Amino acid sequence: MSASVQRKTNETDISIQLQLLQPHQFHEQKIEISTGIGFLDHMIHALAKHSKWSLNLVCKGDLHIDDHHTTEDTALALGTCFKEALFQLAPQLKGIQRFGYSYAPLDEALARAVVDISGRPSCHTTLGLKREMIGALSTEMIPHFFESFATNSGLTLHVDVLKGDNDHHRSEAAFKATALALRQAIQMTGGSDVPSTKGTLTA
């Protein structure tokens, strides 16, 4: 199922088209990302690749100021688009797995991500990044990206990097683990009920 989002403010102009691919569509995956921040593009590409999304994302932001608005607004818009696509796949979130978790290594780095499509946004990250910048992306914006994405997706998200010496590897492992956890959480169980004892994940 697919969704699209247009988000324009005085700080950013964002266009996103996202499709949640089903197994028989995996070979059709297409990813094009342009935010003006190379490392952010790389991380979002990893997120889309391993979540099995087709994604076209363009952000034109006020990078003459800094990377904050572009990173934050991209994550917010992507979270909105993911949520809309998910509700196309599973109206009222009936029949989804709901929970997902994964570990992802990248050489010496190892990350763990745990997802609950709960409707209650909450994000907790421990990434242990030491550098101030990776390319043109401030490392302080990486946990903020996860937080912004979780907020507009309606996710509870825990991301922990358990080990690793290289901040590029630590960051990329975190995005890959999140992607794999998301992919698991949106799988259909074959049931028709909402996976919640209160009967809803939207209130």
Side-chain angles (χ1 to χ4, degrees):
M1 295 296 177
S2 60
S4 61
V5 166
Q6 303 284 329
R7 187 181 193 275
K8 186 172 184 178
T9 70
N10 291 335
E11 298 166 343
T12 56
D13 187 355
I14 300 171
S15 173
I16 302 178
Q17 294 83 42
L18 185 153
Q19 183 180 8
L20 304 176
L21 298 175
Q22 299 305 297
H24 69 279
Q25 300 172 309
F26 287 171
H27 68 285
E28 302 173 0
Q29 186 178 43
K30 295 180 181 179
I31 302 170
E32 295 184 18
I33 299 163
S34 177
T35 66
I37 304 172
F39 190 71
L40 180 60
D41 291 355
H42 182 40
M43 293 300 97
I44 297 173
H45 190 281
L47 182 66
K49 179 69 174 179
H50 297 287
S51 294
K52 295 299 183 184
W53 301 343
S54 275
L55 179 65
N56 185 290
L57 186 156
V58 177
C59 175
K60 297 178 181 178
D62 54 2
L63 294 176
H64 62 285
I65 296 176
D66 68 7
D67 58 343
H68 185 100
H69 298 142
T70 292
T71 305
E72 179 182 63
D73 291 2
T74 295
L76 290 170
L78 186 59
T80 298
C81 203
F82 170 77
K83 184 176 182 179
E84 291 182 3
L86 180 57
F87 273 82
Q88 289 287 327
L89 175 68
Q92 300 180 341
L93 303 179
K94 291 182 178 180
I96 65 165
Q97 187 71 39
R98 176 177 169 179
F99 301 100
Y101 67 93
S102 183
Y103 291 82
L106 179 55
D107 296 345
E108 88 296 347
L110 178 64
R112 177 186 62 212
V114 183
V115 169
D116 177 9
I117 303 176
S118 62
R120 299 184 304 277
S122 182
C123 183
H124 307 273
T125 59
T126 304
L127 307 183
L129 303 175
K130 298 176 181 177
R131 291 166 57 179
E132 182 177 350
M133 305 285 293
I134 305 178
L137 181 63
S138 307
T139 55
E140 69 177 4
M141 292 308 300
I142 296 174
H144 191 55
F145 180 96
F146 285 121
E147 180 183 7
S148 299
F149 176 79
T151 295
N152 276 23
S153 296
L155 302 176
T156 296
L157 175 63
H158 293 259
V159 186
D160 299 281
V161 178
L162 305 177
K163 61 173 68 176
D165 301 318
N166 182 287
D167 277 359
H168 183 130
H169 291 173
R170 293 178 72 95
S171 300
E172 189 168 343
F175 274 86
K176 287 178 176 177
T178 300
L180 293 169
L182 285 170
R183 183 173 157 193
Q184 183 182 97
I186 70 169
Q187 292 302 304
M188 304 304 295
T189 64
S192 60
D193 63 323
V194 175
S196 171
T197 54
K198 66 180 180 182
T200 180
L201 292 172
T202 59

